[in-house]
Amino acid sequence: MKVGAKIASGKTKNIYELDDPSLVLIEFRDDVTALDGRKRDFIAGKGAINAAITAKLMEVLNTSQTPTHFVKLEPPSAIIAKRLRMLPLEVVCRNIAAGHLVKRLPFKEGDLLDPPIVEFYLKDDERGDPMVNKRHMAALGLATPSEAEYMEEATLKANEVLKRFLASRELTLIDFKLEFGKLPDGSLIIGDELDPDCMRIRDSSTGRILDKDLYRRGSPLEEVLKAYLECKRRIVEGG
Ligand code: TMP
Ligand code: ASP
């Protein structure tokens, strides 16, 4: 398929038009960022790892009645996906307390959250991605109450599917972030990525961190790369 003009460029991905206007090419770059883009580095090979992990996890969701935009992996570091009109929202699902949750509220790191917690954030780096509720989203014209309800239910369903799949690879899903977009008919589906940049994943038996928390905590970049490679080995190769 012929790759056309660049449509958008984010902190870690570029998006290109394809000759089929209903599809896009999403290229995963080797950039790694944290603190809303204020900390930034390059890890050679990370883009290809994240493309492969996103492809596998979205394939798992697609075959479990939890539709995503994913169509096909385009090696080494891109995917072909359905073109969506993205909502400027991040939907976070938490199974175990970590990160911002333990900073903001009286939870202790490691507390089990059963049932899981779902939170919505506005994608707005300048405002530090503030948390929003269903009424904020309706008032801002971002999502109707029924669309917000759908995203919450789809996120909880994706959580069950991903938790089960990752457990089969000896991995524990602490939390993750999804983004949703609209198809031309107005229906909402999961877009963006699904990889260790936007999920907290731990080794089920040792608790070893296998995600971007290593980078956020200042680990050497080689250690971050090793963890991402281990994640890919388990998730994609099943080893
Ligand atoms: P948090 O504890 O920092 O709110 O993160 C919860 C989960 O969401 C974690 O797996 C990382 C992911 N996340 C992103 O992918 N992008 C973001 O901007 C934020 C804040 C979180
Ligand atoms: N704020 C998020 C994080 O620290 C995402 C980012 O800025 O890249 O992971």
Side-chain angles (χ1 to χ4, degrees), residues 120-158:
F120 292 91
Y121 294 88
L122 180 67
K123 251 175 100 85
D124 185 334
D125 280 345
E126 276 174 27
R127 292 188 166 81
D129 291 349
M131 193 192 282
V132 288
N133 66 27
K134 290 175 188 171
R135 286 174 183 264
H136 292 127
M137 290 189 277
L140 288 166
L142 298 173
T144 63
S146 64
E147 286 171 341
E149 189 63 33
Y150 171 80
M151 287 190 277
E152 187 168 317
E153 290 308 315
T155 300
L156 287 168
K157 186 155 178 224

Side-chain angles (χ1 to χ4, degrees), residues 36 90 92-94 98-101 104 119 121 129 175-177 197-200 212 216:
D36 295 331
E90 302 193 335
V92 168
C93 183
R94 302 179 187 273
H100 283 111
L101 189 72
R104 234 178 21 234
E119 303 165 336
Y121 294 88
D129 291 349
D175 56 30
F176 63 99
K177 182 262 307 181
D197 274 10
C198 61
M199 312 172 85
R200 288 194 171 94
K212 202 170 85 172
R216 294 188 186 99

